[in-house]
Amino acid sequence: MPNNDPFVLAGREYRSRLIVGRGKYRSFEETRAATEAAGAEIITVAVRRVNITDPGRENLLDQVPPDRFTILPNTAGCHTVEEVVRVARLAREAGVGNLVKVEVIGDEKTLFPDVAATIEASRILVGEGFVVLPYVTDDPVACRRLEDLGCAAVMPLAAPIGSGLGIRNPYNLRIIIEQSRVPVIVDAGVGTASDAARAMELGCDAVLMNTAIAGARDPIAMAEAMRLGVEAGRLSFLAGRIPRRLHASASSPIEGMLD
């Protein structure tokens, strides 16, 4: 990737545009290996599911140390505004900083977010000095409202969490990208490296994923594939694709051809 194209999130620069999750790996060691293969510098962890607060038990921070990685606590498993706020405060008290990914589940079957609750929880947490990254549907209006509240990024889904369906609505994502003044991070639904590349080619600033890597037959190899997909997609976006044409266009110029 070009050295002059950093990913800037909340004023901090990162080389990698791939954010990975902690869940569903067989061990902390595999988590660490996959994270390194992905080249990720930000790793998101579910505060309610992973120990980051009790030094007396096996602690994720021993395998993914905060001096090497930015820890992004998330509120996965929360269903109300009150739960989200409580979990975010707990993460901050654990010493991992003010960064938080806000998730408020609105439907158990699809795991789609509760947009109204997401907006309200984000409003409260921004007011308390948190750097908020909200997981939300691919709704341009909701994303604009979250940005206006002061969120540091917006994280629209590509498809339901863990579905691997890839980007279902690229047109909404394009609208969100065009209107946003903060980073747009595709979150949820990526299944393979081509999905990650497509998200980046659309102009997204980063991609967050967990199941697509952790659930692969070879998570370490998939992590590397996802890294390459993100890098290729970003480079393709910067390079600028040729316009689509209905008819053929000669690859070689015809001027100066021999008669």
Side-chain angles (χ1 to χ4, degrees):
M1 292 296 296
N3 292 329
N4 61 346
D5 181 45
F7 170 46
V8 181
L9 180 64
R12 181 172 176 180
E13 293 187 358
Y14 298 92
R15 296 182 304 277
S16 174
R17 293 175 179 270
L18 175 58
I19 303 170
V20 297
R22 152 63 185 89
K24 302 184 180 180
Y25 289 98
R26 289 182 287 266
S27 66
F28 282 166
E29 290 75 15
E30 186 176 69
T31 301
R32 175 73 171 269
T35 302
E36 292 182 343
E41 298 168 279
I42 305 173
I43 181 167
T44 185
V45 299
V47 179
R48 301 186 74 176
R49 299 171 182 162
V50 176
N51 176 38
I52 61 172
T53 60
D54 184 357
R57 296 188 295 116
E58 187 176 31
N59 194 308
L60 176 67
L61 301 184
D62 295 332
Q63 296 294 328
V64 188
D67 61 341
R68 286 195 55 197
F69 301 97
T70 295
I71 305 301
L72 172 58
N74 68 63
T75 63
C78 293
H79 294 77
T80 67
V81 172
E82 292 75 20
E83 285 182 298
V84 167
V85 171
R86 183 169 62 252
V87 168
R89 290 169 178 166
L90 177 64
R92 181 158 65 181
E93 290 169 5
V96 293
N98 292 327
L99 201 62
V100 63
K101 175 188 168 186
V102 167
E103 298 184 40
V104 192
I105 297 303
D107 179 72
E108 284 295 339
K109 185 174 182 180
T110 63
L111 298 182
F112 282 150
D114 182 328
V115 174
T118 299
I119 292 172
E120 177 60 14
S122 297
R123 183 190 65 79
I124 293 170
L125 293 174
V126 167
E128 293 187 6
F130 283 90
V131 178
V132 177
L133 282 61
Y135 163 65
V136 69
T137 56
D138 54 351
D139 177 357
V141 175
C143 287
R144 185 170 63 242
R145 288 182 178 172
L146 287 161
E147 179 179 340
D148 290 344
L149 284 175
C151 292
V154 291
M155 307 181 77
L157 54 80
I161 292 173
S163 68
L165 289 172
I167 297 171
R168 297 294 86 199
N169 195 338
Y171 306 105
N172 272 22
L173 287 179
R174 285 282 299 274
I175 294 170
I176 293 167
I177 292 163
E178 289 175 3
Q179 74 180 19
S180 296
R181 302 179 303 275
V182 297
V184 177
I185 304 169
V186 161
D187 182 8
V190 169
T192 191
S194 58
D195 297 333
R198 190 181 186 201
M200 300 306 296
E201 286 178 334
L202 285 172
C204 294
D205 295 281
V207 178
L208 188 153
M209 66 184 71
N210 181 64
T211 305
I213 295 175
R217 185 173 63 250
D218 185 338
I220 312 306
M222 184 59 79
E224 183 176 3
M226 290 299 188
R227 174 180 62 80
L228 295 171
V230 167
E231 291 176 357
R234 178 63 179 179
L235 192 57
S236 177
F237 171 75
L238 294 175
R241 62 157 293 142
I242 63 171
R244 292 178 173 85
R245 302 175 185 273
L246 182 61
H247 302 290
S249 176
S251 298
S252 302
I254 61 174
E255 292 81 4
M257 291 180 63
L258 296 175
D259 293 332

